[in-house]
Amino acid sequence: MATLVLLASLSLLLNIFSLPLPTDATSSCNGPCQTLNDCAGNLICINGECNDDPDIGTHICDRGGSSPTPSDNCQPSGALTCGGTSYSTYDCSPTITSSTPGKLTNNDFSEGGDGGGPSKCDESYHDNTDLIVALSTGWYDGGSRCGKMIRITASNGNSVTAKVVDECDSMHGCDEEHAGQPPCKNNIVDGSDAVWSGLELDKDIGVVDITWSMA
């Protein structure tokens, strides 16, 4: 009898150890999923299958790709010397996700302000009481996000929704059009006074860490 109990116990242990171990593998386009973490890259889980995120606007699955390639490795495209200082220039920005890390800076969108010329989206100046932003060149994406709303969240937990009206030029600068300022870095959300006020941040700080997404 003791021998039978021992054999049964050994059989149970062998069955336990033969079970497949959980993995952190992610599904690609049209792959099975249950949570957002089950999908690779910027894909999201929709009706049990990994698919493009409509909030981000990717078309990875539309192209029949098996899995997205991250583009966070955005390297400088060149350099611009301004006042004896060399600044890196960028034609790309980090990948946009549902919580994109970035740096919030302050911009004066009014005529004669430190923003330089009129906003690129509509060739107009804007009141700084408006909830508006300029995005780094890569995120601005040739104007494709003009008029779109983005949600900005500060580390204090406050968030605001603001409209994209301009480009924070990561390729050019140090001239009259850019009010003599150097090129923007590639991860800038350049917000009006109203954005800073809405987030309950002191604009005199100059630069703060935020996250943002398409609203």
Side-chain angles (χ1 to χ4, degrees):
M1 184 69 179
T3 302
L4 290 176
V5 172
L6 180 60
L7 288 173
S9 298
L10 289 173
S11 176
L12 179 62
L13 286 172
L14 287 172
N15 286 334
I16 291 174
F17 284 114
S18 65
L19 290 173
L21 295 174
T23 68
D24 57 357
T26 56
S27 292
S28 56
C29 292
N30 303 317
C33 62
Q34 293 181 336
T35 69
L36 293 178
N37 294 331
D38 294 337
C39 298
N42 291 330
L43 302 180
I44 63 170
C45 189
I46 302 176
N47 297 326
E49 289 187 353
C50 293
N51 213 323
D52 289 302
D53 188 339
D55 289 336
I56 299 176
T58 54
H59 297 284
I60 299 163
C61 296
D62 291 351
R63 295 196 302 264
S66 59
S67 63
T69 301
S71 58
D72 288 337
N73 189 25
C74 175
Q75 299 297 319
S77 57
L80 180 65
T81 300
C82 179
T85 302
S86 179
Y87 297 92
S88 295
T89 58
Y90 296 87
D91 57 10
C92 58
S93 290
T95 302
I96 296 176
T97 68
S98 58
S99 183
T100 313
K103 302 287 187 180
L104 178 69
T105 54
N106 181 241
N107 186 47
D108 184 348
F109 291 87
S110 64
E111 187 170 6
D114 60 13
S119 297
K120 282 192 174 181
C121 288
D122 56 8
E123 292 299 320
S124 299
Y125 292 100
H126 295 270
D127 195 317
N128 291 305
T129 58
D130 295 336
L131 288 164
I132 51 178
V133 298
L135 296 178
S136 290
T137 295
W139 288 339
Y140 179 74
D141 194 28
S144 70
R145 293 192 169 87
C146 282
K148 302 288 181 65
M149 305 300 291
I150 68 170
R151 176 162 294 278
I152 307 164
T153 303
S155 58
N156 60 14
N158 294 331
S159 64
V160 297
T161 302
K163 183 196 293 186
V164 178
V165 299
D166 201 2
E167 174 186 14
C168 193
D169 201 332
S170 305
M171 291 292 294
H172 310 94
C174 308
D175 53 16
E176 184 177 352
E177 180 184 350
H178 300 89
Q181 297 191 64
C184 283
K185 293 183 178 180
N186 69 338
N187 62 344
I188 298 298
V189 176
D190 207 16
S192 63
D193 290 353
V195 169
W196 283 74
S197 297
L199 294 172
E200 297 183 4
L201 297 173
D202 181 1
K203 70 177 184 179
D204 291 333
I205 297 174
V207 183
V208 297
D209 291 323
I210 51 92
T211 58
W212 70 277
S213 63
M214 300 306 298

